[in-house]
Amino acid sequence: MTALPDPRTGWGLPALGALPRTADLEPLVTRVLAPNPSPMTLDGTNTYVVGAPGNGQAVLVDPGPDDAAHLAAVEAALGARGARCVAVLVTHHHGDHAEAALPWGQRFGAPVAAGSPAVAGPGGRVLEPGERLSLAGTAIDVVATPGHTADHLAFRLESGAVLVGDHVLGRGTSVVTHPEGDVVAYLESLRRVHDLGPSALYCGHGPELTEDPGAVLDFYLAHRAQREQQLLDALAAGAATVDQLVATVYAQVPREVWPAAAQSTRATLDKLAVEGRVVLGPAERVRTA
């Protein structure tokens, strides 16, 4: 099966490893890249400093790892804006996004807010989808984007840009983790973000997507549909376990990301099983229904 064309291919995006440590993306937003690159985090985690220029306040979105060098870079970005941190927002509980939330919230004297009480902490706030936050001289809308994880949120800015966490990546496609992920919810979330008509997607990992965000979301939806068909085709050709499916469907993908591919495969098989298209057996055996 021919790979779907990725609309980002000709956009002139920075090469992997070439993202600047700090970048002003628009008047409301500065991105600070954490020094935690890996096959799963791409260039590293993007921390976003958000606030109206000259307001003297800012919000941190996804502080990322509790790393001294990263903290210094974030504090420098706050200083360049003449701003103090008044809140820490987190898209989801994975450590590469949330580890620094509570310690940095304490350092800045700022409350932490997230979709999970465990991330928000005892003095924090659990965010409700659809609410509007008035912070740092601007408005931030909370958007439910479950799928990658159950507690995943996105944040829409007044400019129309959406901070999407791990829901959409600047490069490649996102993993729907298993068993905590949900492919049906993920697809609904992609459509929900698409319906917002975002002016830009500011991703948890990789470069910002500004040229045609809607086309990227369309590609993500089409990619998921293609993966489902590839799994069904592989089963019809004789694959009978998750490992065999991953080896077949992801044969052209570096083996270092196969464990993540296996997570997405399990999550997709759960969806297909609910739809009555496959039957899941013991020892991760699978067959068509």
Side-chain angles (χ1 to χ4, degrees), residues 26-30 49-53 81 136-138 157-159:
E26 60 171 272
L28 281 174
V29 183
T30 298
V49 181
V50 180
R81 284 178 161 266
T138 190
L157 306 182
E158 286 186 321
S159 64

Side-chain angles (χ1 to χ4, degrees), residues 5 16 22 40 49 55 65 70 72 77-78 84 119 128 131 141 148 162 166 173 177 196 209 213 219 223 251 275:
L16 181 64
T22 301
M40 293 303 298
V49 181
N55 172 70
H70 186 45
L78 288 166
R84 64 182 180 88
V119 176
E128 295 295 332
E131 68 176 302
D141 292 328
H148 175 72
V162 181
D166 278 357
T173 54
T177 55
L196 295 174
L209 304 175
F219 167 71
H223 170 78
E275 294 171 349

Side-chain angles (χ1 to χ4, degrees), residues 52 121 127 130 148 177 190 201 258 260:
L127 296 171
H148 175 72
T177 55
L190 284 172
L201 299 175
W258 279 18

Side-chain angles (χ1 to χ4, degrees), residues 59-142:
V59 175
L60 298 185
V61 179
D62 282 354
D66 188 13
D67 175 89
H70 186 45
L71 174 61
V74 169
E75 289 182 328
L78 288 166
R81 284 178 161 266
R84 64 182 180 88
C85 173
V86 296
V88 178
L89 307 183
V90 186
T91 59
H92 65 296
H93 71 270
H94 284 167
D96 58 315
H97 294 257
E99 181 184 64
L102 293 179
W104 289 15
Q106 184 176 19
R107 178 182 180 86
F108 293 123
V112 177
S116 162
V119 176
R125 177 179 174 186
V126 177
L127 296 171
E128 295 295 332
E131 68 176 302
R132 172 166 288 186
L133 308 175
S134 295
L135 292 166
T138 190
I140 301 173
D141 292 328
V142 180

Side-chain angles (χ1 to χ4, degrees), residues 175-198:
V175 174
V176 177
T177 55
H178 185 273
E180 65 178 342
D182 184 316
V183 171
V184 173
Y186 182 74
L187 296 173
E188 291 173 350
S189 296
L190 284 172
R191 297 184 186 102
R192 185 175 300 115
V193 174
H194 196 297
D195 288 346
L196 295 174

